[in-house]
Amino acid sequence: VKRTPEAGFDLTPMIDVLLLLIIFFVLSAQFAQAVRKALPLPTEPGEKASEAGPHTLMIDIDKQGEMSAGGTRMDLDGLKLTLRSQVKQVGGPDKVETIVRADKDASAAHLNKVARALSEAGIRNWKLATSGEATK
């Protein structure tokens, strides 16, 4: 009686691919965190910048009013263009998750410009990041 060998399934290549994907996503999440520069945020209870998801648009405003989105420095027109492309990319202004990180010593006029740009892009729901350490 001649026995035919049983067919087997080797999981090793699939496990290798899975591990590579995990490494890729962990590293890309770390790079997204590294893009953010240190800003002294207002010390009020609120949205912590570290609670942002992977698809969150992070807008930084420094003390002089210089803006950056996603680690790229830009002027107000560049921010408006970025916001419009973000709205298109995610499928509507209601789906855009935006956190604004403003230096605690920045003028409110700079924050108002960003708020106006968000409104013009149709983004009505955005968050202002704070350090989360409320002073009493």
Side-chain angles (χ1 to χ4, degrees), residues 1-6:
V1 176
K2 188 175 180 183
R3 294 182 79 175
T4 58
E6 286 187 34

Side-chain angles (χ1 to χ4, degrees), residues 70-84:
T72 305
R73 189 163 288 261
M74 59 186 61
D75 61 359
L76 190 59
D77 292 330
L79 178 64
K80 289 177 182 180
L81 186 64
T82 300
L83 291 172
R84 282 192 294 260

Side-chain angles (χ1 to χ4, degrees), residues 61-65 102-111:
I61 307 169
D62 68 10
K63 186 176 182 177
Q64 292 77 27
D103 188 303
K104 68 179 180 178
D105 297 322
S107 169
H110 304 306
L111 183 58

Side-chain angles (χ1 to χ4, degrees), residues 19-130:
L19 288 174
L20 285 173
L21 286 172
I22 290 171
I23 291 169
F24 170 77
F25 287 121
V26 167
L27 287 176
S28 62
Q30 290 297 323
F31 287 134
Q33 296 264 341
V35 168
R36 295 186 208 147
K37 67 179 185 175
L39 281 176
L41 299 174
T43 54
E44 297 295 327
E47 185 72 20
K48 289 186 181 180
S50 61
E51 296 173 0
H55 301 293
T56 302
L57 179 62
M58 191 78 64
I59 301 171
D60 292 341
I61 307 169
D62 68 10
K63 186 176 182 177
Q64 292 77 27
E66 297 288 326
M67 292 174 272
S68 63
T72 305
R73 189 163 288 261
M74 59 186 61
D75 61 359
L76 190 59
D77 292 330
L79 178 64
K80 289 177 182 180
L81 186 64
T82 300
L83 291 172
R84 282 192 294 260
S85 69
Q86 186 79 4
V87 167
K88 277 185 188 176
Q89 182 180 359
V90 298
D94 296 336
K95 297 179 182 176
V96 176
E97 185 178 350
T98 307
I99 297 179
V100 178
R101 299 175 64 231
D103 188 303
K104 68 179 180 178
D105 297 322
S107 169
H110 304 306
L111 183 58
N112 288 341
K113 289 178 188 176
V114 172
R116 195 173 305 114
L118 288 164
S119 178
E120 289 173 7
I123 301 169
R124 306 276 187 253
N125 188 16
W126 53 275
K127 300 172 185 174
L128 181 62
T130 65

